[in-house]
Amino acid sequence: MSNTPLNYDKLLETNDYKISFYNEKKEKTFGNLDDNIDFSKDLIQHEKHFVLIDKSTLGHLGIFYIAIEENLYFEKIEKLRVDIIFFFVLIYSIISLIGFYLARLFLKPIKEERKRINTFIKDTTHELNTPISAILMSIESEDLTPRQIERVRLSARRVSEIYKDLTYIFLAKNKTEKIINELFLDNTIKEQLKYFEPLASKKKITINTNLNNFKYKINEDDFVRVFNNLVSNAIKYNKMSGKIDISLKNKTLIIKDNGIGIEEKKIKDIFNRYYRATEEQGGFGIGLSIVNKICKDYNIKITVESRLNEGTTFSLYF
């Protein structure tokens, strides 16, 4: 059309396709496509390629038919298939890794809780075994000495405290409505300290008190449970011949000991259930959890100060 000769060689330079030109008699005049062509069709599939028949030349330059064979379609399909498989494997691997990470992340609290429960069961068995063994040993003889009777009384009280703590933790929701009265805390403290005298004397611990009259609206069992847990810990984690100072004044109850103390980094966790700041003494880490819960129920602020090997102070602000 531009009065320039048709450059056949330029048409054949590419490997992307093969092309042949045909005259009116459907004879090939030039080209590199040697397949048998069915000119009644516009598109033919030969093995792994397609052949396009173009009949729109209308005899221009003596060409009536053009056949073009492409060599890219199936290669691209194969490449696309490989790419899809690759990206599928890649995405599947990423999702699997994320799923594995999330599964571990979600299962971690369950595993930790299971571990804590197993430890709790072992500790509970150990805690119950000690006083029960003491009772059984003390009643082997028919005539009990005052010392054996005292041992039985202390062991029975310990079993009772363990039972009460466990029922409070696990059966609190099933309890009947609590009776809340104005309680003279100083009188209740004096009564409860009588039960701790044998246990304190066993470790030669001196208990000093400075109690002012103070009334507070609280269930008596709840206050006793708070006070007894704190005093029990003050005795349990105290040194031989140590001392405990208990004061009640200005709407504040302070229980201070000069025992083994608590590491500073562990203080923030001592109110967590099953947490034990030390393995030096028995216990299964629910006492302070109960104390903290009761204090929250009655809007009592509780603080703790402690120095390792110097002692611990619990303060309750009513």
Side-chain angles (χ1 to χ4, degrees):
M1 294 178 69
S2 59
N3 295 320
T4 57
L6 181 63
N7 189 345
Y8 295 105
D9 294 333
K10 189 174 182 180
L11 291 172
L12 305 178
E13 285 178 357
T14 179
N15 293 321
D16 292 342
Y17 60 86
K18 290 181 180 180
I19 187 169
S20 288
F21 301 89
Y22 299 86
N23 59 21
E24 187 177 6
K25 296 180 180 180
K26 301 177 183 178
E27 297 172 345
K28 185 170 75 170
T29 59
F30 179 80
N32 55 6
L33 175 59
D34 299 322
D35 293 355
N36 293 324
I37 305 300
D38 183 358
F39 290 95
S40 64
K41 298 179 180 179
D42 293 327
L43 186 66
I44 307 169
Q45 182 179 352
H46 282 173
E47 296 178 358
K48 290 188 176 183
H49 54 259
F50 289 98
V51 177
L52 176 67
I53 312 299
D54 182 18
K55 305 170 185 177
S56 63
T57 57
L58 303 174
H60 184 66
L61 297 179
I63 297 170
F64 284 82
Y65 304 96
I66 300 174
I68 300 176
E69 178 188 275
E70 61 78 31
N71 297 320
L72 297 176
Y73 177 77
F74 285 97
E75 289 181 11
K76 288 184 177 180
I77 290 295
E78 182 63 22
K79 183 177 182 301
L80 182 61
R81 188 176 70 86
V82 172
D83 289 344
I84 289 172
I85 293 173
F86 171 76
F87 283 110
F88 174 79
V89 172
L90 179 63
I91 292 170
Y92 178 80
S93 301
I94 293 172
I95 292 174
S96 298
L97 288 172
I98 293 173
F100 178 73
Y101 172 76
L102 291 176
R104 287 193 63 183
L105 192 67
F106 293 145
L107 289 174
K108 186 178 179 182
I110 297 174
K111 289 175 69 176
E112 290 177 351
E113 189 65 22
R114 182 183 174 187
K115 184 178 178 182
R116 281 196 295 265
I117 289 173
N118 287 337
T119 303
F120 171 76
I121 292 171
K122 291 177 184 177
D123 291 340
T124 304
T125 305
H126 174 73
E127 281 291 299
L128 288 170
N129 182 63
T130 302
I132 290 173
S133 298
I135 291 171
L136 292 174
M137 289 174 60
S138 299
I139 61 174
E140 285 180 351
S141 59
E142 294 183 1
D143 298 324
L144 299 181
T145 65
R147 186 176 179 182
Q148 287 174 320
I149 293 172
E150 185 61 30
R151 187 183 298 165
V152 170
R153 191 171 73 85
L154 288 173
S155 299
R157 178 173 174 79
R158 179 57 188 154
V159 172
S160 177
E161 287 176 353
I162 293 172
Y163 171 78
K164 287 178 181 178
D165 284 347
L166 292 177
T167 53
Y168 184 87
I169 284 290
F170 297 108
L171 303 177
K173 293 181 181 179
N174 299 325
K175 284 190 175 182
T176 56
E177 190 173 344
K178 296 177 182 178
I179 299 173
I180 299 176
N181 295 319
E182 283 201 335
L183 187 69
F184 282 95
L185 301 189
D186 52 307
N187 291 337
T188 305
I189 290 172
K190 291 173 185 176
E191 290 173 8
Q192 293 304 311
L193 285 176
K194 293 176 185 177
Y195 295 106
F196 287 105
E197 286 175 2
L199 190 61
S201 63
K202 190 177 179 181
K203 292 183 72 171
K204 298 180 181 179
I205 292 172
T206 303
I207 300 178
N208 304 311
T209 60
N210 181 13
L211 308 174
N212 293 344
N213 290 335
F214 178 56
K215 256 191 325 186
Y216 191 73
K217 231 175 186 180
I218 190 171
N219 176 266
E220 184 173 2
D221 288 339
D222 284 347
F223 177 73
V224 168
R225 190 166 283 111
V226 168
F227 179 77
N228 285 1
N229 268 302
L230 293 177
V231 174
S232 176
N233 284 348
I235 295 173
K236 185 189 297 183
Y237 299 107
N238 214 323
K239 303 169 184 175
M240 287 295 294
S241 302
K243 69 173 182 175
I244 299 172
D245 295 321
I246 301 173
S247 71
L248 177 63
K249 54 184 178 180
N250 300 325
K251 298 182 180 181
T252 305
L253 173 62
I254 298 174
I255 300 173
K256 180 180 180 180
D257 67 68
N258 63 341
I260 62 174
I262 307 168
E263 289 183 60
E264 186 176 353
K265 63 181 181 180
K266 295 181 178 181
I267 291 178
K268 61 182 175 62
D269 295 317
I270 61 172
F271 292 115
N272 295 338
R273 188 181 297 185
Y274 309 136
Y275 182 80
R276 292 166 61 184
T278 177
E279 301 293 328
E280 192 166 320
Q281 294 289 337
F284 34 79
I286 63 173
L288 289 179
S289 173
I290 292 172
V291 169
N292 189 47
K293 182 183 182 306
I294 293 174
C295 286
K296 285 182 178 178
D297 289 343
Y298 292 96
N299 294 317
I300 300 170
K301 182 183 176 182
I302 181 169
T303 62
V304 55
E305 296 178 8
S306 187
R307 288 180 178 271
L308 205 58
N309 298 319
E310 290 186 18
T312 303
T313 302
F314 284 91
S315 302
L316 279 69
Y317 301 92
F318 296 90

